Amino acid sequence: MNIVKTYPNVAVLSAAAAELFAEKACQAVEKRGRCHVALAGGGTPRLMYELLAKEPYCTTLPWDKIHVYWGDERCVPAHHNLSNQLMARQSLLDHVPIPEGNIHPIVYENSPSTAAEDYEKMLRATFEGQIPQFDVVFLGLGDNGHTASLFPDTDVLKIQDRWVSPVYVAEQDLYRVTLMAPIINQATAIIFLVAGSTKAQVIKEVIEGPRDSTRLPAQLIQPGNGELYWLLDHEAAALLNLETRYL
Ligand code: 6PG
């Protein structure tokens, strides 16, 4: 079920996203005693993370029962400024009482394949061999239609038998590691955060356009039984048909 919500600007969008996460996290903890959340990288989520690091969330959320993962990671050292883990630690995790054992980064040392294999092993152990069902997965959207590190026209889109995979992104000359779409799609709630006029065209194509998931991998994100939220600022939603905006 597509739920499209639009907001005047990224600040209001981020406040709504923080509130939505708080609601979903508390529901998960109440229901299952834990919340498994996969964080998005890139720049858009930073403001939401910073809001979650402040009152009321930093003291009211059950951080000891929240387990944090990443939807993808760049193959750089953990202290590198491109690291999604570093961004999340600096904007959120270093400022809330979450036990270090609840933080599950994608660890890259010198091999993208090893990083992906190790992450998959960790997931298999954590979810006791069952296909992972995250309570919340946050995602961003690139202006070329990628999400997580599922980039257009890359071999990673054809892989069926892996939960986590390395991917070489030629336009960035960078290896990354990503959760695969079937794993993301198991989530109870998938939340896209998309802001800015540069995303208006790709948002229209992904949400309203014909399916072409090789060109627009974000279209692979179709939760089985979960909810799919598109939290957009007005600039990103500008080209959507009116009826889509209020789905
Ligand atoms: C990453 C993200 C990536 C990101 C999009 C949007 O590691 O870069 O996983 O998929 O979400 O590129 O990035 P912005 O939010 O910076 O536009």
Side-chain angles (χ1 to χ4, degrees):
M1 175 176 73
N2 262 348
I3 303 164
V4 178
K5 293 178 180 276
T6 65
Y7 303 91
N9 54 54
V10 67
V12 180
L13 185 163
S14 302
E19 188 53 34
L20 182 59
F21 171 65
E23 175 199 324
K24 298 299 182 185
C26 291
Q27 279 173 4
V29 169
E30 199 172 312
K31 207 168 170 185
R32 283 181 288 280
R34 285 170 57 158
C35 169
H36 297 292
V37 54
L39 299 181
T44 305
R46 181 190 290 273
L47 186 49
M48 174 189 67
Y49 297 158
E50 289 171 351
L51 291 172
L52 288 170
K54 294 180 182 131
E55 295 295 358
Y57 306 113
C58 61
T59 52
T60 57
L61 290 190
W63 292 105
D64 62 321
K65 296 184 178 63
I66 292 174
H67 283 255
V68 167
Y69 307 78
W70 275 263
D72 73 326
E73 184 55 279
R74 293 82 176 272
C75 291
V76 294
H79 59 271
H80 193 287
N81 65 8
L82 282 178
S83 165
N84 288 335
Q85 177 191 175
L86 181 67
M87 188 272 274
R89 284 186 182 275
Q90 289 177 336
S91 56
L92 172 57
L93 302 175
D94 290 351
H95 309 285
V96 293
I98 185 169
E100 185 59 29
N102 288 22
I103 300 172
H104 309 279
I106 299 172
V107 177
Y108 169 74
E109 281 163 0
N110 47 33
S111 156
S113 305
T114 304
E117 286 158 15
D118 290 350
Y119 208 61
E120 183 159 330
K121 277 183 201 147
M122 179 279 296
L123 289 175
R124 287 186 184 277
T126 301
F127 290 91
E128 296 166 347
Q130 301 299 311
I131 194 161
Q133 185 181 18
F134 291 99
D135 298 290
V136 181
V137 175
F138 284 107
L139 293 172
L141 178 67
D143 55 14
N144 64 354
H146 82 262
T147 191
S149 284
L150 301 168
F151 278 76
D153 305 306
T154 50
D155 291 343
V156 73
L157 302 181
K158 300 176 195 129
I159 294 171
Q160 298 295 323
D161 60 346
R162 300 287 307 276
W163 294 1
V164 186
S165 177
V167 53
Y168 177 66
V169 182
E171 64 258 38
Q172 299 177 355
D173 188 22
L174 184 66
Y175 277 95
R176 290 165 165 244
V177 171
T178 189
L179 285 186
M180 305 301 280
I183 301 302
I184 295 171
N185 285 336
Q186 294 296 318
T188 305
I190 301 171
I191 305 172
F192 275 97
L193 306 181
V194 189
S197 57
T198 61
K199 304 291 175 75
Q201 181 56 37
V202 71
I203 274 284
K204 180 162 186 68
E205 292 181 47
V206 167
I207 295 179
E208 293 179 346
R211 278 191 64 79
D212 181 1
S213 56
T214 302
R215 187 174 69 85
L216 298 167
Q219 289 184 334
L220 291 170
I221 307 306
Q222 301 280 337
N225 301 311
E227 296 172 309
L228 176 56
Y229 291 86
W230 292 91
L231 305 189
L232 315 173
D233 72 354
H234 286 173
E235 286 186 350
L239 300 180
L240 287 176
N241 298 328
L242 273 182
E243 57 275 15
T244 306
R245 294 193 204 183
Y246 302 103
L247 275 180

